[in-house]
């Protein structure tokens, strides 16, 4: 049986003191860097309603990766976790600049995402999709603060 998310966490959120962000550039060449997005996400009062554009070409390193790997803190691109996925590669990931899909697994909880703080995609898709995980009984993300997309945004 699934444990529903604890919505009492939202009881102390003062939505009147939010800074709503809507970026809609005139240029099709507009891009936002991962540093800029990280800065936007670092303020607890920021609420991203819409950002149209794309991520700028990042500098890939041992901690900034295109696909999850051990030691990676940031993933640039979409992450799909399925039954073949090596969960250990996500243990240190703090940020995903793309979407997260968890489908067709035997996981019971999200403890392997112990450091994940935010997932933000600039595409017209959901930031997080969870489906077809029959053993999943706890849907709480240990540290997730923000997830957002141009389809759906939510602050935890």
């Amino acid at each position: 049986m699934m444990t529903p998310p604890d919505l009492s966490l939202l009881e102390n959120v003062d939505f009147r003191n939010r800074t709503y962000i809507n970026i809609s550039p005139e240029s099709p060449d507009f891009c936002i860097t991962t540093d800029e997005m990280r800065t936007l996400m670092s303020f607890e009062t920021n609420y991203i309603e819409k950002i149209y554009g794309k991520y700028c070409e990042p500098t890939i390193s041992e901690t900034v990766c295109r696909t999850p790997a051990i030691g990676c803190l940031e993933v640039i691109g979409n992450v799909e976790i399925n039954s073949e996925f090596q969960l250990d590669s996500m243990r240190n990931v703090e940020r995903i600049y793309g979407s997260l899909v968890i489908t067709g697994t035997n996981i019971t909880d999200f403890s392997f995402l112990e450091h994940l703080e935010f997932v933000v995609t600039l595409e017209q898709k959901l930031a997080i999709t969870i489906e077809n995980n029959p053993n999943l009984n706890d849907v709480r993300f240990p540290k997730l603060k923000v997830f957002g997309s141009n389809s759906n945004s939510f602050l935890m």
Side-chain angles (χ1 to χ4, degrees):
M1 176 147 103
M2 288 182 64
T3 303
D6 184 3
L7 296 179
S8 68
L9 296 173
L10 295 177
E11 289 175 1
N12 296 323
V13 175
D14 184 357
F15 289 98
R16 293 170 296 165
N17 293 323
R18 292 268 179 234
T19 302
Y20 292 88
I21 299 171
N22 187 344
I23 299 174
S24 185
E26 297 293 320
S27 170
D29 296 328
F30 170 80
C31 67
I32 187 166
T33 67
T34 55
D35 287 341
E36 291 166 335
M37 183 59 78
R38 188 179 320 105
T39 299
L40 287 173
M41 295 292 96
S42 69
F43 295 99
E44 291 185 14
T45 57
N46 284 354
Y47 179 82
I48 295 180
E49 287 189 308
K50 298 282 183 189
I51 296 181
Y52 295 100
K54 60 188 174 215
Y55 286 114
C56 301
E57 189 61 36
T59 301
I60 303 301
S61 68
E62 289 181 15
T63 59
V64 179
C65 314
R66 290 202 186 277
T67 57
I70 301 228
C72 188
L73 301 178
E74 299 182 330
V75 178
I76 313 298
N78 301 324
V79 176
E80 183 170 340
I81 297 174
N82 57 36
S83 62
E84 306 295 316
F85 192 88
Q86 296 299 313
L87 299 180
D88 283 345
S89 67
M90 292 295 293
R91 290 227 182 263
N92 294 321
V93 174
E94 298 173 357
R95 295 171 283 278
I96 298 173
Y97 301 98
S99 65
L100 173 63
V101 176
I102 303 173
T103 184
T105 71
N106 290 320
I107 61 173
T108 59
D109 60 37
F110 298 136
S111 60
F112 66 96
L113 297 170
E114 60 191 292
H115 296 288
L116 185 63
E117 293 181 1
F118 76 76
V119 178
V120 180
T121 181
L122 300 181
E123 298 176 36
Q124 284 293 119
K125 66 193 304 184
L126 295 175
I128 300 175
T129 302
I130 303 164
E131 58 189 6
N132 302 321
N133 300 285
N135 298 330
L136 186 61
N137 60 29
D138 184 351
V139 295
R140 291 175 288 184
F141 288 83
K143 287 190 176 179
L144 188 68
K145 295 177 185 170
V146 178
F147 65 90
S149 74
N150 286 327
S151 293
N152 181 32
S153 293
F154 190 77
L155 174 65
M156 295 182 80

